Amino acid sequence: MIVKRFILGEYSTNTYLVISGDEGILIDVAENPSEVIDYILTNNIKLKSIYATHGHFDHVLGVTEVKKYFNVPFFLHRSDLDLLRRDERTKGIVPDGFIDEKSIIKIGNEELKVIETPGHTMGSVCYIFDDGIFTGDTLFNGSIGRYDLGGDKNLLKKSLNKLMELNDGLTVYPGHGFFTTLGYEKLTNPFLNGEFEW
């Protein structure tokens, strides 16, 4: 699995192109995705679908433009549908389907699994594969996502505990900022190691 990161938009959102063989999917398509579109076309990647880790505008504003070029479906968790509908910037973005914890995403000869991780938003999810996990705004390098923008503090704590049970060697691909590993975050992230009470 090859992961290509594009940093897009006003909030420096990480948009990920995940490639296996000649197939690809996009995770969290932020605004002004022309660089992403050019890369897919130039490298003859067969884009299969678009996924969101959650429904906040800065993670989905590029969906409509990408769909114009590639006519692929867009998926997110049903619990974040209201977020799209309530925000003037995203109310015109309509999912083609919904994902949940039972969902398996096939790409080339590989798979990603969906983990429901509510807290930052009620429909936040992570996407996990053999070597890595896309955490959206649930977990960052050295920090965690806010829970006052349509989320829930107690649910976020439970979701982070769920991530803590996963393999230390997983590379963490967050929604903003730099890559990290789950093991490093368990040791050094003050929200995970008990250093900071919240």
Side-chain angles (χ1 to χ4, degrees):
M1 201 93 78
I2 297 168
V3 178
K4 171 76 175 171
R5 177 177 69 153
F6 301 85
I7 303 171
L8 304 179
E10 179 182 357
Y11 292 88
S12 297
T13 301
N14 290 332
T15 292
Y16 295 104
L17 174 62
V18 185
I19 305 164
S20 178
D22 63 351
E23 293 184 346
I25 63 167
L26 284 169
I27 296 175
D28 287 352
V29 184
E31 63 185 323
N32 301 323
S34 56
E35 180 186 357
V36 181
I37 293 166
D38 289 346
Y39 186 92
I40 293 169
L41 292 171
T42 301
N43 291 278
N44 297 311
I45 296 163
K46 297 175 184 172
L47 188 67
K48 293 184 66 182
S49 43
I50 304 165
Y51 296 86
T53 57
H54 63 289
H56 280 152
F57 73 94
D58 55 318
H59 292 256
V60 299
L61 277 180
V63 167
T64 301
E65 188 172 347
V66 169
K67 288 186 71 168
K68 283 179 184 174
Y69 276 85
F70 301 105
N71 192 29
V72 293
F74 165 58
F75 300 91
L76 85 165
H77 196 282
R78 188 182 296 274
S79 295
D80 271 4
L81 185 57
D82 282 347
L83 278 180
L84 293 184
R85 290 174 171 168
R86 287 200 310 262
D87 193 322
E88 285 295 318
R89 294 163 291 193
T90 60
K91 67 180 184 179
I93 300 171
V94 180
D96 299 285
F98 300 99
I99 43 92
D100 59 29
E101 194 129 318
K102 301 186 196 82
S103 302
I104 302 289
I105 301 164
K106 295 186 182 299
I107 169 175
N109 295 318
E110 302 179 80
E111 293 181 346
L112 292 90
K113 296 179 181 178
V114 177
I115 304 175
E116 293 176 347
T117 52
H120 175 65
T121 66
M122 301 311 287
S124 286
V125 300
C126 297
Y127 300 99
I128 185 170
F129 60 102
D130 287 345
D131 301 322
I133 183 168
F134 299 93
T135 56
D137 289 1
T138 296
L139 176 64
F140 299 122
N141 186 331
S143 189
I144 60 170
R146 294 172 61 172
Y147 45 82
D148 59 343
L149 298 171
D152 180 275
K153 177 180 178 178
N154 290 326
L155 284 177
L156 182 56
K157 285 186 174 184
K158 288 180 182 176
S159 294
L160 290 169
N161 285 335
K162 199 173 183 179
L163 296 184
M164 291 274 282
E165 295 173 0
L166 300 175
N167 183 347
D168 286 3
L170 289 174
T171 298
V172 174
Y173 299 96
H176 305 270
F178 298 106
F179 304 157
T180 181
T181 67
L182 208 47
Y184 184 79
E185 293 309 304
K186 290 176 186 180
L187 286 174
T188 64
N189 191 317
F191 293 91
L192 302 185
N193 64 15
E195 188 178 318
F196 180 70
E197 291 294 326
W198 59 290

